[in-house]
Amino acid sequence: MTLDHDVQNKSQSNLKKYRQIEEFAKKHEVDFYPAGRGIGHQIMVEEGYAWPGTLAVASDSHSNMYGGVGCLGTPVVRTDAASIWATGRTWWQIPPIAKVTFVGTLPKGVTGKDVIVALCGLFNNDEVLNHAIEFTGSDETMRSLPIDDRLAIANMTTEWGALSGLFPIDSVLHAWLRYKATASALLSENSVPTRFSHARVDALMGSPLCVDEGATYNKYLFLDLSTLSPYVSGPNSVKVATPLNQLESQSIKLNKAYLVSCTNSRASDIACAARVFKAAAKSTVDGKIPKVAEGVNFYIAAASKPEQEIAEDAGDWQALLDAGAIPLPAGCGPCIGLGTGLLEPGEVGISASNRNFKGRMGSTEARAYLASPEVVAASALSGIISGPGLYEKPDNVKGVVLGEGDKVKEEDRIISIAEALEKIIAEADTLIEEGENEGLGGENKKVSSNASIKEESPLVEVLDGFPEKIEGEIVFCDADNINTDGIYPGKYTYQDDITLEKMSEVCMSNYDPEFTRIARSGDILVAGFNFGCGSSREQAATAILAKKIPMVVAGSFGNIFSRNSINNALMGLEVPKLVQRLREAFPSITIANGEKGGISEPQRNKDSLDSPPPANIVQAHRSLLTRRTGWKFLWDVKRSQVTITEGEDGKRWKQKVGDLSPNVQDIVAKGGLEKWVKHEIGNKP
């Protein structure tokens, strides 16, 4: 157990909560790391809990980070964690697998952070949504990615939409493990057991976990690392990635810079940032470390106390302090919108963290960018978004090379007989499926709203306590990628005294302040695709329930929101056809509003609900984010179908949906996973 999310909060109520957690850990003989020791994900890696070839879960969305050391890390939510402790059981749906092949090697001045920022921004059409990712490449390519870069990439596969991001157990990992085992042997007392030992490394590398021969994947993507340049994410969206040189030409003035979080605040990251200031010192008259730009606050927090100590011993931490950096305790802070240094209305910030959703790091009227530690440091020094000038563009590179497939020419591919057979079978299956669809009029009848649904289809058994039908008027939030910060603002997440009335009031307020006025009790909330992406906060589900909305329908859901919904008895369905019809019937319109204008954000930012940047007040327009439709939605659970009535005397159509399994019904019928667990425990002899 680690205390890392609200470590700057010294209130008596928070300290009491921390004491209770520590006492619980001691009582049950659970390893415990107090506030200030570091971020849980970093501790999992540096202390050897996340071991290659194993599965590790944690109640935070960035558990994906463990994939950087060959450990399958994936998040569970807090109710899941309590359930595991209480019953030793949990649940998963096996996800589709995406293979991401890296080719080439990174040019000088390009980092692992640039890799994942580019992946999030260039593959930004949900290519890996709810997939498990395997990263692979040639020995030469993978040797060019050190462990700290792998950790940063794996960490932000969460923002890319994936459930996990797994790197191979290879020579790079082997060397890192040997280093850790040697350091552990030298520094630990003989009587203290360690998770890092040469014997354990020998056992791992004697039979390392690797991909099965002939393994196939649901999706294949590739990225040529040699064609990358430094990239910046944002503003306010991980789905917008821009080459640094394009932003440099805009001279975007900064107010705050952050070298914080589990993504990029290890000792190596701090060293990279310090090198920017040390290099600048060589050009000063007195050779002293220059100060950050006037009007810029530069915040630093190490991923853990040991990482800070390494940086202190190297002189890197002091170099940043000499530059005027403001130190924060090792833990989560501005990255999650808590504590010192949050963005104020109208401010611009750049961070080496992992998430820049609107309102995530402070005001919804601020703009947040993400970049590598080098770029963050250089920007803090200059006062505008800029780089340290380290990038060396290779000859003949005209742009980033990426796409579907693995970039291996067919004539150069060496495959086994089994792999060839699998390929032939897969191609045959595709042809058969296409032929069947053509025979059905060119549309797969399983998902077609026009399909005739036979009344004699087998009925789903509905458990006692679960409703046979759910219906209501559709309130439509026409946006994709509505994240958990948009659904429930982070500033309320760690307040234990929030009432249901307050949760209802602030529900969806970071997305649309008008939502609370427009939506009504009993409505069916319909949104676009990838609804509920982002953090693991359960309040994203419980706030919707507090609004007395019993159900959310979307084109697709972020997996962690789906888990939270089931665990908290909020029902959800994916009906892409409904989203399509709503967008056809209610095309995006704008309404007059005294908004800020004069500067336009990238067009793609609309997908992530970004607010316009500050400028002069002019008469402008804004999108209607939430609307009452007058449409009716009915879900017949027994028949696994939904019926949509498009307004009074409007078109009425039906569509088949998936059967609701008994175990999910059971959890929802009992009021959520917590009550289900209590029921299970209570029934034990």
Side-chain angles (χ1 to χ4, degrees):
M1 287 187 181
T2 61
L3 301 178
D4 60 8
H5 262 52
D6 199 14
V7 298
Q8 296 180 44
N9 183 353
K10 303 299 182 182
S11 67
Q12 287 302 311
S13 60
N14 195 54
L15 294 177
K16 178 182 178 181
K17 180 166 60 178
Y18 281 1
R19 285 194 300 272
Q20 290 172 333
I21 295 171
E22 184 172 6
E23 289 167 1
F24 178 90
K26 184 177 181 180
K27 177 180 178 180
H28 295 281
E29 299 182 334
V30 176
D31 292 353
F32 177 78
Y33 296 86
R37 170 58 176 78
I39 302 171
H41 301 309
Q42 177 63 28
I43 292 171
M44 286 285 288
V45 171
E46 71 186 18
E47 294 293 336
Y49 294 104
W51 188 254
T54 67
L55 168 70
V57 300
S59 58
D60 185 86
S61 58
H62 289 106
S63 307
N64 294 26
M65 190 177 96
Y66 314 148
V69 291
C71 171
L72 181 58
T74 193
V76 295
V77 296
R78 288 153 185 77
T79 306
D80 285 322
S83 173
I84 292 170
W85 291 335
T87 67
R89 298 162 60 190
T90 190
W91 62 273
W92 273 287
Q93 292 174 307
I94 303 302
I97 313 297
K99 181 180 182 180
V100 177
T101 301
F102 293 138
V103 297
T105 58
L106 290 175
K108 182 180 178 182
V110 182
T111 71
K113 184 59 166 284
D114 298 306
V115 173
I116 190 59
V117 166
L119 286 173
C120 289
L122 302 181
F123 287 111
N124 62 359
N125 291 311
D126 293 343
E127 285 89 346
V128 296
L129 178 63
N130 297 333
H131 283 61
I133 296 173
E134 288 183 18
F135 291 108
T136 187
S138 68
D139 288 343
E140 179 185 12
T141 294
M142 301 311 286
R143 281 198 302 270
S144 73
L145 293 171
I147 293 300
D148 283 1
D149 275 354
R150 297 181 183 196
L151 291 170
I153 294 170
N155 182 290
M156 278 190 64
T157 56
T158 301
E159 280 62 47
W160 199 14
L163 299 181
S164 63
L166 187 66
F167 277 84
I169 299 173
D170 61 2
S171 60
V172 175
L173 180 60
H174 185 195
W176 182 82
L177 290 169
R178 287 295 181 198
Y179 165 78
K180 295 288 288 185
T182 298
S184 182
L186 292 173
L187 299 176
S188 298
E189 299 178 8
N190 292 333
S191 59
V192 178
T194 176
R195 281 166 289 277
F196 288 106
S197 70
H198 288 292
R200 197 178 184 197
V201 176
D202 289 340
L204 172 70
M205 301 310 298
S207 182
L209 189 67
C210 58
V211 176
D212 294 337
E213 184 178 347
T216 59
Y217 299 83
N218 297 83
K219 193 161 291 185
Y220 297 81
L221 303 173
F222 73 87
L223 173 66
D224 188 338
L225 301 181
S226 66
T227 64
L228 271 184
S229 64
Y231 263 77
V232 177
S233 169
N236 296 353
S237 171
V238 294
K239 286 181 173 283
V240 178
T242 306
L244 172 65
N245 60 1
Q246 293 184 21
L247 295 180
E248 284 181 311
S249 64
Q250 299 178 32
S251 298
I252 300 171
K253 183 174 171 52
L254 290 177
N255 303 99
K256 292 183 171 78
Y258 307 88
L259 181 57
V260 298
S261 88
C262 52
T263 315
N264 277 120
S265 58
R266 283 170 279 280
S268 61
D269 302 310
I270 296 167
C272 289
R275 274 197 295 271
V276 172
F277 286 92
K278 291 177 180 178
K282 295 178 181 179
S283 60
T284 61
V285 176
D286 56 8
K288 291 184 178 180
I289 296 290
K291 298 293 184 180
V292 300
E294 185 177 353
V296 175
N297 288 334
F298 182 26
Y299 298 93
I300 60 174
S304 70
K305 193 64 176 174
E307 292 294 312
Q308 180 176 329
E309 291 170 352
I310 294 171
E312 289 172 343
D313 291 343
D316 297 324
W317 189 261
Q318 188 60 49
L320 296 180
L321 295 181
D322 291 344
I326 301 168
L328 300 175
C332 307
C335 174
I336 56 171
L338 292 173
T340 301
L342 303 187
L343 289 172
E344 299 293 335
E347 288 190 333
V348 178
I350 190 166
S351 177
S353 54
N354 45 37
R355 196 167 278 166
N356 59 347
F357 298 152
K358 172 183 163 185
R360 166 83 177 182
M361 299 181 68
S363 171
T364 58
E365 298 177 22
R367 285 185 291 161
Y369 295 83
L370 303 178
S372 67
E374 294 93 329
V375 170
V376 168
S379 301
L381 180 60
S382 67
I384 60 174
I385 293 180
S386 58
L390 300 175
Y391 172 57
E392 295 180 2
K393 183 179 180 180
D395 296 335
N396 303 319
V397 171
K398 297 181 180 180
V400 180
V401 176
L402 76 169
E404 295 186 3
D406 56 11
K407 208 174 183 289
V408 179
K409 296 179 180 179
E410 289 302 315
E411 59 267 27
D412 296 336
R413 193 183 304 280
I414 300 175
I415 62 176
S416 67
I417 294 175
E419 289 172 321
L421 183 59
E422 289 281 354
K423 182 179 178 182
I424 292 170
I425 293 172
E427 290 174 351
D429 287 344
T430 300
L431 289 172
I432 292 170
E433 182 178 352
E434 289 175 353
E436 289 176 343
N437 288 343
E438 288 175 4
L440 292 170
E443 188 174 30
N444 189 327
K445 297 301 180 182
K446 290 186 292 185
V447 297
S448 170
S449 63
N450 298 315
S452 58
I453 301 173
K454 298 179 180 179
E455 294 298 327
E456 63 267 27
S457 298
L459 299 180
V460 173
E461 180 183 357
V462 179
L463 301 184
D464 290 341
F466 195 91
E468 292 188 4
K469 294 182 179 181
I470 300 166
E471 59 184 318
E473 182 179 344
I474 292 173
V475 60
F476 185 36
C477 294
D478 186 8
D480 298 328
N481 310 301
I482 298 178
N483 56 69
T484 50
D485 288 86
I487 301 168
Y488 191 77
K491 62 184 178 182
Y492 299 112
T493 302
Y494 299 97
Q495 295 182 28
D496 297 330
D497 57 351
I498 294 289
T499 63
L500 287 177
E501 290 75 17
K502 184 65 176 179
M503 292 183 74
S504 172
E505 177 188 332
V506 303
C507 177
M508 301 290 286
S509 60
N510 269 4
Y511 163 70
D512 180 10
E514 292 298 306
F515 178 87
T516 190
R517 179 184 62 82
I518 297 170
R520 301 171 187 165
S521 173
D523 282 344
I524 304 298
L525 171 59
V526 179
F529 293 82
N530 197 21
F531 183 84
C533 57
S535 76
S536 60
R537 68 189 62 165
E538 296 191 69
Q539 293 93 332
T542 56
I544 294 173
L545 287 171
K547 189 66 178 171
K548 296 184 179 178
I549 292 174
M551 185 172 187
V552 180
V553 179
S556 59
F557 291 99
N559 180 267
I560 203 160
F561 180 84
S562 295
R563 291 191 74 93
N564 271 327
S565 296
I566 293 170
N567 289 348
N568 289 282
L570 173 66
M571 287 167 284
L573 275 180
E574 292 185 354
V575 189
K577 181 67 175 180
L578 175 57
V579 178
Q580 177 185 336
R581 279 292 302 129
L582 284 165
R583 286 176 171 171
E584 290 170 353
F586 302 100
S588 296
I589 64 171
T590 56
I591 57 177
N593 183 44
E595 260 190 5
K596 298 177 180 180
I599 301 176
S600 61
E601 290 182 289
Q603 177 65 19
R604 286 173 293 167
N605 274 24
K606 70 180 186 297
D607 290 337
S608 289
L609 322 177
D610 303 329
S611 46
N616 297 327
I617 300 294
V618 298
Q619 184 65 27
H621 294 78
R622 65 180 176 85
S623 296
L624 183 62
L625 298 177
T626 307
R627 70 163 73 238
R628 301 202 65 78
T629 64
W631 291 21
K632 300 296 183 181
F633 180 95
L634 170 66
W635 178 24
D636 188 330
V637 180
K638 268 193 172 183
R639 290 176 171 78
S640 298
Q641 72 182 40
V642 296
T643 301
I644 309 299
T645 304
E646 298 183 356
E648 288 188 22
D649 303 321
K651 177 182 176 183
R652 184 170 175 268
W653 51 273
K654 298 179 180 181
Q655 179 172 337
K656 189 77 173 174
V657 295
D659 294 347
L660 191 64
S661 63
N663 58 333
V664 173
Q665 287 188 47
D666 195 23
I667 292 172
V668 173
K670 288 187 170 62
L673 187 61
E674 181 181 346
K675 292 180 180 178
W676 180 90
V677 168
K678 290 179 178 178
H679 181 269
E680 289 291 299
I681 294 173
N683 285 342
K684 284 186 177 180

